[in-house]
Amino acid sequence: MQLDAFQALADPTRRRIIETLRQGEQQVGDVVEKAGVHQSGVSRHLRLLHESGFVSVRPDGQRRLYSLKPEPFRELEAWLASYRHLWEARLDRFGAALEKNQRARRAQLRKKRT
Amino acid sequence: MNNQNQARSTSQIVIERTYKAQLAEIWALWTTKDGFESWWGPQGFRVEVQALDARVGGALQYDMIADSPEMIAAMKQMGQPTSHPTRSSFTELKLHERLVLSNVIDFLPGVEPYESKIAVDFSPAGDTVRMVVTLDAMHSEQFTNMQKEGFTSQLTKLDQRFA
């Protein structure tokens, strides 16, 4: 199963593993210890994170070393920024619509007074 | 780059605005046909509300219609229809306090239908009202890509407009 970026990060255990890997390249045993997650869980999540492009793995003798890849984070950041931008623009229009209504109401009030 | 923040910020986006206005006026922009049509974009689109029933479980149905020549051309170029019906409903509603709009995303080929939620909280303070909009980050790759393309073209238009 390949997860997209949002699904990959939806899981709190995977987020903990990612936080642990921010300290640098590590082997499974270190991640197990620092993230406080059971070995079998860590292996499964690391595999999913690897498949979804968050984590790279390289062999070092008998060990396998895991580290974070920057690409998916950049993609997420860019997408979230554009999504936020869209909503900022939408709420600018919300504010403009509100002001327009207020101006119309004030004009009507003035009319009533005269 | 801060990966930790990235991981945390992916599930939700929160945007706050404060308006000098009465709560009822602000509420009406979300809960009446005229109000909703007056601002719900996005840029280059107008909205035609078919049904708006501001009650818990009430429907909000509208067509998003490309209405600028550039947007119509852009949608045609992307192979997208220039009008798109949207089905939402008010899944939470507490008068002048909070509303949640749930949007059914069921138009993506190969993607199981899912709900995307927009929660809005209103709190008055003196003669201003604070409005907090909380958005689900969309969670399918296809949708993400489509949004990305759509938004990029939209943002380019925005930039041109305000340049």
Side-chain angles (χ1 to χ4, degrees), chain B:
Chain B
M1 183 173 51
N2 187 333
N3 290 344
Q4 189 176 344
N5 284 345
Q6 290 306 324
R8 281 192 186 144
S9 67
T10 44
S11 54
Q12 289 186 322
I13 294 174
V14 181
I15 304 178
E16 284 189 34
R17 290 286 170 104
T18 300
Y19 300 107
K20 197 170 175 182
Q22 286 167 15
L23 187 44
E25 293 176 300
I26 290 175
W27 182 258
L29 287 187
W30 287 93
T31 55
T32 65
K33 175 178 158 67
D34 287 350
F36 193 79
E37 285 178 348
S38 71
W39 65 278
W40 188 269
Q43 201 75 43
F45 289 85
R46 70 186 165 82
V47 171
E48 219 173 86
V49 171
Q50 311 299 341
L52 195 159
D53 183 11
R55 288 184 295 181
V56 177
L60 169 59
Q61 292 173 1
Y62 58 89
D63 293 332
M64 292 228 303
I65 304 159
D67 78 338
S68 72
E70 300 85 27
M71 190 52 76
I72 291 168
M75 295 304 278
K76 281 185 177 156
Q77 204 187 338
M78 286 191 282
Q80 302 277 345
T82 54
S83 170
H84 184 86
T86 304
R87 288 188 291 142
S88 298
S89 61
F90 292 94
T91 47
E92 277 182 52
L93 193 131
K94 225 170 154 186
L95 184 69
H96 294 181
E97 271 182 43
R98 174 179 167 85
L99 61 85
V100 177
L101 272 176
S102 296
N103 217 347
V104 181
I105 310 292
D106 61 354
F107 49 85
L108 299 168
V111 176
E112 287 282 305
Y114 66 93
E115 280 199 337
S116 152
K117 286 184 179 173
I118 299 162
V120 195
D121 291 285
F122 307 86
S123 47
D127 60 351
T128 64
V129 175
R130 189 161 140 252
M131 185 169 96
V132 181
V133 180
T134 307
L135 309 155
D136 277 350
M138 307 293 171
H139 47 273
S140 85
E141 198 177 67
Q142 286 92 332
F143 191 55
T144 303
N145 288 336
M146 194 185 79
Q147 293 278 65
K148 230 189 250 167
E149 285 165 19
F151 289 166
T152 309
S153 75
Q154 254 165 255
L155 294 178
T156 312
K157 298 241 150 46
L158 259 185
D159 292 343
Q160 282 166 0
R161 203 184 159 101
F162 294 120

Side-chain angles (χ1 to χ4, degrees), chain A:
Chain A
M1 176 178 58
Q2 188 171 354
L3 304 178
D4 69 41
F6 288 106
Q7 289 171 321
L9 291 180
D11 185 278
T13 306
R14 283 198 287 276
R15 288 205 296 272
R16 235 167 37 233
I17 291 172
I18 284 174
E19 275 175 39
T20 304
L21 286 174
R22 286 182 63 225
Q23 298 161 21
E25 196 177 50
Q26 285 166 73
Q27 50 180 326
V28 176
D30 294 333
V31 179
V32 168
E33 197 180 310
K34 289 178 192 159
V37 181
H38 194 267
Q39 163 102 38
S40 64
V42 167
S43 300
R44 187 169 60 88
H45 286 304
L46 277 174
R47 183 171 51 77
L48 288 168
L49 286 170
H50 178 243
E51 282 169 7
S52 54
F54 278 85
V55 163
S56 67
V57 55
R58 68 176 183 94
D60 176 38
Q62 290 298 308
R63 308 184 305 164
R64 286 160 70 78
L65 293 172
Y66 293 86
S67 59
L68 288 182
K69 290 170 77 173
E71 292 85 356
F73 294 101
R74 275 186 210 134
E75 260 175 53
L76 282 170
E77 191 174 25
W79 182 73
L80 285 168
S82 68
Y83 191 58
R84 173 176 279 278
H85 194 133
L86 178 102
W87 266 91
E88 297 281 3
R90 181 168 268 173
L91 292 183
D92 286 349
R93 287 194 302 279
F94 187 95
L98 200 59
E99 276 178 30
K100 199 176 152 201
N101 291 350
Q102 288 175 329
R103 275 199 305 273
R105 212 188 45 209
R106 277 197 299 268
Q108 216 153 38
L109 278 176
R110 275 197 298 273
K111 232 186 198 171
K112 267 187 196 164
R113 279 197 214 112
T114 53

